[in-house]
Amino acid sequence: MINFNIPPFVGKELNYIREAVENKKICGDGKFTKLCSSFMEDKFNCKKILLTTSCTHALEMAAILADIKEGDEVIMPSFTFVSTADAFVMRGAKIVFVDIRPDTMNIDENKIEDAITSRTRAIVPVHYAGVACEMDKIMDIAKRHNLLVIEDAAQGVMSKYKGKALGTIGDFGCFSFHETKNYSMGEGGAILINDLKYIDRAEIIREKGTNRSKFFKGQVDKYTWVEYGSSYLPSDINAAYLYAQLEVVDEINNSRLNAWQMYYDGLKELEIDKILELPTIPDGCEHNAHMFYIKCKDMNTRDELIDYLKENQILSVFHYIPLHNSPAGKKFGKFFGKDFYTTKESERLLRLPMYYGIEGNTIQYIIKNIRDFLGSK
Ligand SMILES: *Cc1c(COP(=O)(O)O)cnc(C)c1O
């Protein structure tokens, strides 16, 4: 069977995990946690990056830092993972879903402004497949309406928008290091804090509501409970796994980009013949090959293709069922305006196997099977 995903593993992970264990420092904020955050702060030119237990938790921290309260409205696409919405719903917010653009599957920046009301507090762009949303326009809208921007950059580690790393453009950015993402620590994530004024409070929220990180820095002589918070810091064992991959982050990125390009080149002819559609990378966006997806003519064709590929030992998967159609989405959110693309495009989308180390002949075999099936239809 050709797997859909294989978690990244570069070799040094086990040495670093061993070192963390031998350091007798396996809780949070040990050596490897610090190495990971300072490496990323430099690489992505970010003021502060705090490693978290997941991207879901990074989003929860952002919602707390943004002071989201009962009755506030938060704008986001419906074509996203549940956590994008959940983090804000847990603070009592109502989710206002805005339609996506069919070319990138990202929130349609031209439909955001009409969805803003006096209750709107934040916009949450999701960089689907590691391809940036139209951030200039989104930041301009946010500025004019005094809204916060929280980037769900779970899939966008190493991607850029007009030269800036994703996650560093809004007020907060959230990364995921889940095993299905480009760089992994099993379960984990990070919050990127782009405005210095939030750093102290972020450290407190992440450390159970205590000023423990100030204490460790020698800024206070005892630590105490100062705010509400939770435990959002990951074990140094997980950070050790991640650090091995960060050391070779460019190599992993290039290897994924090559795999992506091979799919693209091999399937381009089918797009010219209007048999399927390929992803679009708008000008100014540097993506990270998080995903390779195709869009079939309709849902039926897509589902038949999934079955055909499976018969040929290839695991391909569809993606999000739009949140506004789900039971919780109906309860906690509403779709603003008409759903032109969210449902229709999500039903046609199919994700192909993509992971670090996928071999060229595996990709060629997958391309051949797609051609055989769709070409004969
Ligand atoms: C993976 C993902 C998340 C959740 O990440 P976790 O680290 O598993 O919590 C959130 N948003 C998007 C868009 C994702 O792809």
Side-chain angles (χ1 to χ4, degrees):
M1 229 15 172
I2 297 170
N3 288 320
F4 171 70
N5 174 65
I6 295 176
F9 180 78
V10 298
K12 275 201 180 165
E13 287 89 343
L14 297 176
N15 300 356
Y16 289 161
I17 287 173
R18 168 177 286 276
E19 193 181 326
V21 173
E22 285 171 359
N23 286 344
K24 304 199 184 335
K25 179 73 187 166
I26 57 172
C27 68
D29 283 338
K31 172 181 168 176
F32 289 102
T33 308
K34 285 178 188 142
L35 282 171
C36 288
S37 24
S38 52
F39 179 91
M40 291 192 288
E41 284 163 6
D42 284 351
K43 181 88 183 163
F44 304 135
N45 193 19
C46 179
K47 294 199 177 77
K48 189 77 189 172
I49 299 189
L50 295 171
L51 231 50
T52 58
T53 28
S54 64
C55 180
T56 304
H57 284 167
L59 287 159
E60 283 181 22
M61 280 185 67
I64 296 172
L65 288 165
D67 267 325
I68 299 296
K69 293 194 173 62
E70 192 79 40
D72 288 348
E73 291 179 359
V74 176
I75 293 175
M76 66 180 65
S78 169
F79 184 69
T80 184
F81 189 58
V82 292
S83 300
T84 320
D86 245 338
F88 298 91
V89 166
M90 280 173 70
R91 316 297 324 154
K94 170 143 195 155
I95 308 300
V96 177
F97 297 113
V98 166
D99 208 6
I100 53 168
R101 298 164 39 148
D103 60 345
T104 56
M105 305 298 284
N106 282 336
I107 192 166
D108 186 337
E109 67 279 2
N110 295 314
K111 291 182 181 160
I112 293 173
E113 200 149 12
D114 286 343
I116 295 173
T117 70
S118 57
R119 291 167 174 264
T120 309
R121 296 294 322 282
I123 305 171
V124 189
V126 178
H127 304 297
Y128 187 67
V131 178
C133 297
E134 201 40 71
M135 291 307 291
D136 278 352
K137 174 95 195 223
I138 293 171
M139 293 310 290
D140 173 63
I141 294 169
K143 205 168 172 190
R144 284 189 286 104
H145 293 271
N146 198 22
L147 307 175
L148 290 168
V149 174
I150 297 140
E151 297 178 70
D152 182 339
Q155 304 176 13
V157 182
M158 284 294 277
S159 294
K160 286 180 178 169
Y161 173 78
K162 300 191 179 171
K164 289 184 199 153
L166 298 192
T168 67
I169 304 164
D171 297 275
F172 306 104
C174 301
F175 282 170
S176 175
F177 300 117
H178 185 259
E179 75 164 33
T180 53
K181 300 303 200 290
N182 292 24
Y183 311 95
S184 183
M185 51 197 279
E187 299 277 356
I191 180 165
L192 289 75
I193 296 167
N194 302 319
D195 183 336
L196 293 166
K197 77 174 183 216
Y198 293 109
I199 294 176
D200 277 356
R201 197 164 160 236
E203 287 181 332
I204 289 166
I205 290 165
R206 181 169 167 272
E207 268 281 21
K208 299 99 180 160
T210 71
N211 58 358
R212 194 168 142 130
S213 49
K214 271 206 153 88
F215 172 72
F216 281 131
K217 286 184 223 157
Q219 293 165 354
V220 289
D221 58 11
K222 56 181 185 299
Y223 83 84
T224 183
W225 185 24
V226 290
E227 238 253 62
Y228 59 79
S230 189
S231 185
Y232 290 127
L233 69 174
S235 158
D236 217 45
I237 297 176
N238 297 62
Y241 190 97
L242 178 64
Y243 189 63
Q245 290 163 40
L246 292 180
E247 282 187 318
V248 291
V249 76
D250 290 298
E251 189 187 315
I252 296 177
N253 196 47
N254 289 333
S255 151
R256 293 186 75 111
L257 285 167
N258 287 336
W260 192 97
Q261 196 61 45
M262 192 177 283
Y263 271 127
Y264 192 89
D265 296 343
L267 295 168
K268 187 71 199 166
E269 216 174 277
L270 292 179
E271 182 172 57
I272 294 167
D273 292 343
K274 302 210 180 313
I275 290 169
L276 52 69
E277 283 165 48
L278 298 178
T280 307
I281 313 296
D283 284 348
C285 296
E286 276 172 61
H287 73 109
N288 60 356
H290 171 62
M291 188 190 300
F292 195 91
Y293 67 80
I294 59 173
K295 283 197 252 169
C296 299
K297 174 167 107 246
D298 51 34
M299 178 152 86
N300 210 16
T301 313
R302 189 225 16 216
D303 293 348
E304 283 173 17
L305 178 57
I306 293 178
D307 290 343
Y308 180 83
L309 292 176
K310 202 168 189 179
E311 281 163 24
N312 290 284
Q313 276 72 53
I314 301 162
L315 291 175
S316 62
V317 294
F318 56 83
H319 217 178
Y320 311 125
I321 310 290
L323 297 182
H324 73 284
N325 296 333
S326 68
K330 284 181 186 149
K331 187 164 154 197
F332 298 120
K334 61 164 191 226
F335 199 93
F336 177 81
K338 193 168 177 298
D339 171 7
F340 283 105
Y341 297 113
T342 302
T343 302
K344 192 173 123 231
E345 297 301 298
S346 66
E347 287 177 349
R348 310 197 287 134
L349 187 140
L350 182 65
R351 303 156 70 201
L352 304 178
M354 173 60 92
Y355 47 84
Y356 174 58
I358 189 169
E359 290 187 14
N361 52 19
T362 304
I363 295 176
Q364 295 304 349
Y365 172 75
I366 297 166
I367 293 170
K368 179 190 170 294
N369 275 280
I370 294 173
R371 283 167 174 277
D372 286 351
F373 182 77
L374 292 180
S376 70
K377 290 216 74 161

